[in-house]
Amino acid sequence: MESTLSLAPDAAGLARAADLLREGRLVAFPTETVYGLGADATNDRAVARVFEAKARPRFNPLIVHVPSVAAARRVAVFSAEAERLASAFWPGAMTLVLPLRPEAGLSELVTAGLATVAVRVPEHPVARALLDAFGGPLAAPSANPSGRVSPTRAAHVLDGLDGRIAAVIDGGACPVGVESTILALDPPRLLRPGGLPAEAIEACLGRSLATEAPAERPTAPGQLASHYAPSAAVRLNAAGPRPGEVWIGFASPGAAIELSESGDLVEAAANLFHALREADRLAGPGGRIAVAPIPDHGLGRAINDRLRRAAAPRP
Ligand code: TXA
Ligand code: MG
């Protein structure tokens, strides 16, 4: 056990966080999607500690966070379509899986030895300030124990990882609330629906996205059937609660917890993971959660993807 520092997102907190990262230690930080568990992406031991802290299966590669498109071009090879997406949507909630530049010096644990790398330029001002203060690429999966609900507040990070990481920078609640949309390119394929709606990407590219068929060995933990799981059992598309269930609503009067009273998908995405945690707490040990139907377009696709995994049979 180490004692996990809670740092303010000011100059002193960011300088401390950057020092810890340079020492190869782990610092959780807010992004616009969810909190990331940051490690120096060029340091094998630091990246190994990410897997240890999350108890995450080794074969899953991590997203590399960089401050700019120019910095992204130093770690990955950009095709014309990749350039187009980067200029349209970065900084923002989109991750591109692109051919790796081996000379970038990333730890092979970041890419799990693959010839591709997942890269993203985050928009959150605290993430950007941390990248500036640190001055290099940061590997950062979501800052939660493997298989559990992703954190959208600093308190969620501490719930899962207190004593296992050096620090968390408290930047308040994440505005988007679901993880980034992950795309592979040439041809464009959706690997994970997320905070940037697939429709926006299709409009930018002028063609529709294929959805990558589930790999025989999943390349993304987000592709595992059971993931983002609360402790309670989860029932989907519930028009109302059965006795003993905690009902999470979507514009559903009478629900114990509301994702969005007005039926707004952006608000619902921002509230999703906090709502699952709250429902889990209210349901108690061995409890049950029911969730109202969510429209399956825009951010609703990412919400439904996470809910299906939260409801899937556990391994
Ligand atoms: O919003 C997000 O994406 C957050 C914030 C912190 O940026 N990060 C996040 O990271 O969700 P993580 O590690 O929980 O999910 C990253 C996903 C994983 O499912 C991983 O397998 C996939 O990206 N991935 C990484 N590199 C890949 C590659 N070369 N090919 C295919 N999938 C890859
Ligand atoms: Mg995750």
Side-chain angles (χ1 to χ4, degrees):
M1 289 284 278
E2 56 185 328
S3 82
T4 300
L5 295 170
S6 192
L7 299 173
D10 56 14
L14 290 163
R16 184 75 190 271
D19 283 342
L20 290 166
L21 289 165
R22 274 182 218 109
E23 289 166 19
R25 302 182 65 197
L26 306 183
V27 177
F29 62 95
T31 80
E32 68 277 25
T33 57
V34 300
Y35 274 73
L37 181 57
D40 177 349
T42 65
N43 178 332
D44 289 324
R45 295 186 60 148
V47 178
R49 288 193 184 107
V50 170
F51 294 99
E52 180 189 52
K54 286 181 62 90
R56 183 185 212 180
R58 281 285 159 118
F59 51 77
N60 297 323
L62 307 177
I63 296 176
V64 175
H65 296 67
V66 292
S68 64
V69 182
R73 288 193 201 104
R74 290 197 284 274
V75 302
V77 180
F78 278 66
S79 64
E81 269 191 331
E83 289 286 353
R84 186 152 160 190
L85 290 167
S87 66
F89 299 117
W90 277 348
M94 174 185 73
T95 295
L96 296 178
V97 174
L98 300 172
L100 170 71
R101 287 191 191 281
E103 69 274 20
L106 297 182
S107 164
E108 276 195 87
L109 284 173
V110 171
T111 51
L114 298 171
T116 52
V117 61
V119 62
R120 169 162 112 81
V121 179
E123 183 170 37
H124 196 290
V126 176
R128 301 183 65 74
L130 181 65
L131 285 166
D132 283 344
F134 176 63
L138 287 178
S142 53
N144 53 281
S146 192
R148 311 304 300 192
V149 176
S150 294
T152 54
R153 303 179 184 201
H156 299 167
V157 174
L158 293 172
D159 274 352
L161 297 176
D162 194 11
R164 303 181 64 85
I165 64 176
V168 55
I169 306 175
D170 189 346
C174 300
V176 175
V178 289
E179 296 85 347
S180 60
T181 302
I182 305 182
L183 288 179
L185 288 180
D186 306 303
R189 284 110 65 206
L190 183 66
L191 300 186
R192 178 176 76 181
L196 177 67
E199 292 92 331
I201 295 163
E202 291 177 332
C204 172
L205 293 177
R207 56 168 160 164
S208 58
L209 287 174
T211 300
E212 184 103 313
E216 67 212 62
R217 190 177 75 170
T219 51
Q223 294 172 354
L224 296 172
S226 171
H227 198 65
Y228 312 104
S231 310
V234 179
R235 183 170 69 87
L236 303 181
N237 297 312
R242 293 177 185 154
E245 283 179 340
V246 174
W247 191 33
I248 300 178
F250 181 76
S252 316
I257 298 172
E258 255 301 348
L259 291 174
S260 169
E261 275 176 29
S262 63
D264 176 39
L265 288 168
V266 173
E267 182 183 19
N271 288 332
L272 177 67
F273 290 137
H274 188 65
L276 284 171
R277 284 166 191 273
E278 273 301 292
D280 215 12
R281 194 178 60 76
L282 292 174
R288 284 174 297 126
I289 297 170
V291 189
I294 311 291
D296 202 41
H297 58 80
L299 288 185
R301 282 177 70 182
I303 295 171
N304 283 322
D305 173 79
R306 303 306 185 273
L307 286 173
R308 275 192 297 275
R309 293 171 207 282
R314 313 290 158 80

